[in-house]
Amino acid sequence: MVEYGCFLSTEEFGPTDLVEQARMAEQAGFQSLWISDHFHPWNDEQGQSPFVWSVIGALSEAVSLPIGTAVTCPTVRMHPAVVAQAAATSAVMTNGHFRLGVGSGEALNEHIFGDAWPPAHVRLEMLEESIQVMRQLFTGKEINHSGPHYTVQNARLYTVPEEPIPIDISGFGPQATALAARVGDGYITMMPDESMVEQFRKGGGGGKPVSGGTKVCYGQDRDECVRTVHRLWSNQLLPGEMGQVLPSPRHFEQLEPLITEDMVSQNVVCGDDVDEHVAALAAFADAGFDRVYVNQIGPDQRAFFDFYRTKVLPQLQQGVR
């Protein structure tokens, strides 16, 4: 059975709202939580960006659902040894129900100390080395590491979970997907692309979990939902590498005129058509995903959770299209 989870947006909501959304998600029947990890939102309209590790601590007390980051970049803004400590503490607080989702990051979040933003192949090298460092630290033993990108001396995590923390790797192209297949405990991507799932499985991913996420905007007025998505999340429809290389929210705002409301209407599920919502999530199941996470765009969160509790999740859980 495919697992359906709720995707919490730290770009759009503050910590108190995120905790309340997690409670509503659990009550609605969602089976797990994802939470984004950002230093900046994508644009000023989104307007938030709390420190994810503080929020995870609060979530661990508020709900019993498994939690994962989607995704953390453990390479530039935070040293992998520090991310390892944060993840280990989160795993202990969730009684082992924590997965660390990692990716190669975006300049938007990672360049803030003035470091040069590396090209994609170097970012993947850094990501692989950071995973090596974190896995060593998760053992609870003292480690020393001297690699091309990171140095760790006499480091030991004293607060660690009983079982190793699973590390899921995000990939949107063949190189990152190959890395996920080779060294990841799971694979994360944001499109229901069967070919990427197949590459992961054949490249070494085997039966490891494949997770996907999508955004929707539920509401009774479809046109208003389209306008909400256009105002808050136009960035998700930008093509190419812009999402990885632009350094600040204002740069994303400068590109918003490239995205029309018609493009939003054609590419994002908006409104209250049950069949459209079911089909959007079922597409991931059909493509071979094991877990699917959905995020509601905009302020109408309670209505979204009621809609999914009564109309959408029951159909998905029964395999109804």
Side-chain angles (χ1 to χ4, degrees), residues 73-80 104 110-113 115-118 126 150:
C73 178
T75 60
V76 177
R77 172 170 50 103
M78 290 181 68
H79 192 284
S104 59
E110 308 306 325
H111 85 294
I112 58 172
F113 300 125
D115 302 280
W117 184 236
M126 296 172 73
Y150 303 106

Side-chain angles (χ1 to χ4, degrees), residues 8 18 31 59 83 91 95-96 100 125 169 171-172 195 266 272 307 314:
L8 302 174
L18 292 168
Q31 297 165 283
L59 293 174
V83 175
N95 295 313
L100 177 61
E125 290 174 6
I169 300 177
F172 303 111
S195 66
Q266 292 180 32
D272 60 356
F307 177 65

Side-chain angles (χ1 to χ4, degrees), residues 136-155:
Q136 291 179 68
L137 285 165
F138 290 156
T139 66
K141 299 177 182 177
E142 181 178 305
I143 76 156
N144 292 280
H145 173 91
S146 180
H149 302 289
Y150 303 106
T151 298
V152 180
Q153 292 183 347
N154 306 117

